Amino acid sequence: YSSGIATTLGRWSFKYGLVEARIWVPSRGNKILDWPAVWLGGKAEIDILEGGKFACWYYHIDHRRWGRCLNGVHIANGWHTVAVNWEPHGITWYYDRHEVAGVSSRVAPITSAPKVLVLDLAISKRMRHEPKKVPATFRIGWVRVWQHVS
């Protein structure tokens, strides 16, 4: 099977801003199937949504990670909006326009390195659970990025 990826790598990057995507993930019941992801890549990684049963958010920098999976938040069975607001003083995650998480600069070093946008649907034997839907479709209705003016 093949996986798919859409990225701005080599074409466009930004520093600080709000990223919002309207998505439909492969699912069964309230569980996300396979490994869909919406994230920002670069020196540090900001996972807006990482699937794999539940909707997960993460921030990775310097071999450290903050984040968790939200088994009470359902991003399955329909169109949902996921977003992150990345600022010098912190990062805030939103699912369906509700704030679900945040990391402040008091807790973690917030990167200022430019980010690229990545949306992908992956299948991996390294996942804790096997893909449960093959073939699968990860639908992306739209993506919006607002860069903060300094």
Side-chain angles (χ1 to χ4, degrees):
Y1 293 98
S2 299
S3 295
I5 188 169
T7 180
T8 63
L9 181 64
R11 300 179 189 276
W12 179 79
S13 64
F14 71 105
K15 181 178 169 183
Y16 302 126
L18 178 72
V19 177
E20 186 176 46
R22 187 83 168 145
I23 60 172
W24 182 308
V25 298
S27 61
R28 183 177 300 123
N30 287 327
K31 304 285 189 254
I32 297 172
L33 303 180
D34 302 320
W35 194 3
V38 179
W39 52 288
L40 305 178
K43 180 182 177 294
E45 183 177 311
I46 300 172
D47 295 316
I48 303 168
L49 170 86
E50 186 172 309
K53 285 191 183 178
F54 303 110
C56 307
W57 64 271
Y58 295 106
Y59 173 52
H60 308 262
I61 188 168
D62 300 330
H63 306 290
R64 293 182 287 171
R65 180 177 85 168
W66 292 263
R68 65 186 181 98
C69 294
L70 305 166
N71 63 8
V73 175
H74 303 295
I75 303 291
N77 299 316
W79 288 99
H80 296 275
T81 303
V82 297
V84 71
N85 190 21
W86 166 43
E87 300 179 285
H89 60 79
I91 305 168
T92 308
W93 286 261
Y94 301 88
Y95 291 170
D96 289 328
R97 296 192 164 73
H98 296 284
E99 183 177 327
V100 295
V103 173
S104 80
S105 58
R106 288 176 276 139
V107 174
I110 304 300
T111 184
S112 62
K115 298 274 160 267
V116 297
L117 180 62
V118 183
L119 298 101
D120 66 82
L121 177 58
I123 296 173
S124 171
K125 289 183 180 181
R126 296 181 308 168
M127 293 171 57
R128 289 187 299 258
H129 60 89
E130 290 298 315
K132 294 180 177 69
K133 187 171 185 176
V134 179
T137 302
F138 178 25
R139 293 178 175 93
I140 301 158
W142 46 258
V143 179
R144 299 176 180 150
V145 179
W146 292 270
Q147 186 170 356
H148 294 301
V149 178
S150 43

